[in-house]
Amino acid sequence: MNIGIVGLGLIGGSLAIDLSCNREHQLLGISRRAETCRIAQERGIVHQASTTPELMANADIIFLCTPLGAIEDTVRALVPYLNPKTVLTDVGSVKAPIVQAIAPLWPNFVGGHPMAGTTNAGIDAAIPHLFEGRPYVLTPTPETPPQAIATVASLVEELKSVLHICEPTVHDQAVALISHLPVMVSASLIATCMQEPADTLNLAQQLASSGFRDTSRVGGGNPELGVMMATFNRTEVLRSLKSYRNQLDTLIDYITQQDWPSLEATLTQTQQARPNFVD
Ligand code: NAP
């Protein structure tokens, strides 16, 4: 299969590395900067790379791996060069606005979201096996051609990801809770520490250990990604943040009133619930 990857960064580069393990695939890459294309080709991440869309004329499937804000313009630039049979899929972390914008431009489009990442960005961040064992969500609509879904699903299987299929809006509600809210919460944790006087902050920075490493990780990630999550999934991010604020207020009340049984009951519930989210 001729597989196109547009946006050779963390996700696009990592997809190319894993999909190129199948020698029947030709990996064709497009990125914004010539330097990225040069590195991707030099390291064997893709077979051919270019900064212009003509390279995608022979692609059977194209993964759109640019930042969310660039996906629609990227598709508009690609469309004149594409074969009508080419399947387009994206990897954006918000689905409803992307599906709404792209499906009318290219009916052979399947929204997608691999639920894997690191806090690094760019071609240097691309690593093998990033998607192995991780959820990969597809968000087709009733109009999405079944053959297009099957093509994307077959490559998801090659990545050894765990396929989930759901509606775009349902995806956006769920990821607001487990992906976008954690970024805002984790960033707020770091910002709270930074408001402290210098001597307290200095000591806190020296004492910070595994607990702070775990809870601050996603707040220390790519700011562009966080802004895109909030921009494109604004309603759901706001809804989850307000619900989180209510939860914080409840904890503040318990502690203010020294209501230790209620605090313990809440912490017991969260202790029991956590394994339902992650191992
Ligand atoms: P990234 O590492 O910054 O990679 C994006 C790449 O896209 C950049 O390296 C850049 O390449 C290229 N690019 C930017 N604008 C472009 C344009 N207009 N045309 C062509 N290429 C362009 O970001 P990422 O983390 O891989 O995120 C990419 C997508 O994956 C986003 O839609 C995001 O929502 C989604 N996603 C991210 C994660 C995560 O944890 N990071 C997880 C799942 C999904 P140059 O070097 O050429 O400028």
Side-chain angles (χ1 to χ4, degrees):
M1 214 184 279
N2 286 340
I3 301 176
I5 307 274
V6 182
L8 294 167
L10 164 68
I11 300 295
S14 300
L15 277 173
I17 290 173
D18 283 355
L19 293 172
S20 63
C21 291
N22 181 341
R23 285 167 192 269
E24 288 178 10
H25 297 323
Q26 274 291 313
L27 270 296
L28 313 169
I30 291 185
S31 214
R32 184 177 46 181
R33 292 180 304 129
E35 175 67 359
T36 304
C37 296
R38 187 187 63 75
I39 293 170
Q41 249 180 307
E42 219 169 71
R43 294 185 188 162
I45 293 175
V46 292
H47 297 99
Q48 293 177 60
S50 168
T51 55
T52 56
E54 294 88 338
L55 186 62
M56 292 296 142
N58 292 324
D60 300 302
I61 178 167
I62 300 173
F63 287 81
L64 305 159
C65 304
T66 64
L68 279 167
I71 292 177
E72 184 176 346
D73 285 349
T74 300
V75 172
R76 288 184 189 279
L78 284 172
V79 159
Y81 300 93
L82 300 185
N83 180 317
K85 287 188 179 159
T86 302
V87 174
L88 288 191
T89 185
D90 76 308
V91 298
S93 36
V94 182
K95 293 278 54 87
I98 297 295
V99 172
Q100 267 164 28
I102 307 304
L105 299 176
W106 196 258
N108 229 6
F109 169 75
V110 189
H113 181 198
M115 302 288 304
T118 69
T119 48
N120 301 323
I123 188 73
D124 289 331
I127 49 171
H129 311 302
L130 181 64
F131 311 101
E132 207 171 300
R134 309 295 309 150
Y136 198 121
V137 189
L138 298 184
T139 61
T141 67
E143 286 77 42
T144 310
Q147 190 50 47
I149 303 170
T151 303
V152 184
S154 71
L155 294 178
V156 169
E157 196 178 328
E158 282 189 26
L159 294 167
K160 301 192 176 74
S161 297
V162 181
L163 180 67
H164 293 261
I165 295 190
C166 67
E167 287 178 23
T169 50
V170 174
H171 164 277
D172 292 352
Q173 287 162 0
V175 296
L177 290 171
I178 53 80
S179 177
H180 304 166
L181 175 63
V183 169
M184 303 305 157
V185 168
S186 177
S188 302
L189 171 66
I190 301 170
T192 303
C193 296
M194 285 160 58
Q195 284 173 357
E196 289 295 310
D199 49 351
T200 313
L201 177 59
N202 284 342
L203 183 60
Q205 285 169 339
Q206 288 168 50
L207 300 183
S209 188
S210 56
F212 195 81
R213 178 174 289 112
D214 290 347
T215 48
S216 66
R217 185 177 67 82
V218 291
N222 182 353
E224 189 185 2
L225 207 58
V227 173
M228 287 295 165
M229 289 169 177
T231 308
F232 280 78
N233 203 14
R234 185 165 166 268
T235 305
E236 290 304 323
V237 169
L238 278 176
R239 196 171 69 86
S240 62
L241 271 172
K242 286 173 185 167
S243 170
Y244 183 72
R245 183 167 63 189
N246 289 341
Q247 194 59 49
L248 281 182
D249 284 340
T250 303
L251 291 183
I252 289 171
D253 285 348
Y254 291 158
I255 296 170
T256 305
Q257 291 157 20
Q258 303 190 49
D259 182 354
W260 309 131
S262 295
L263 180 62
E264 186 176 357
T266 301
L267 295 179
T268 303
Q269 279 172 7
T270 58
Q271 182 189 42
Q272 287 167 355
R274 185 171 185 269
N276 297 329
F277 293 87
V278 284
D279 293 337

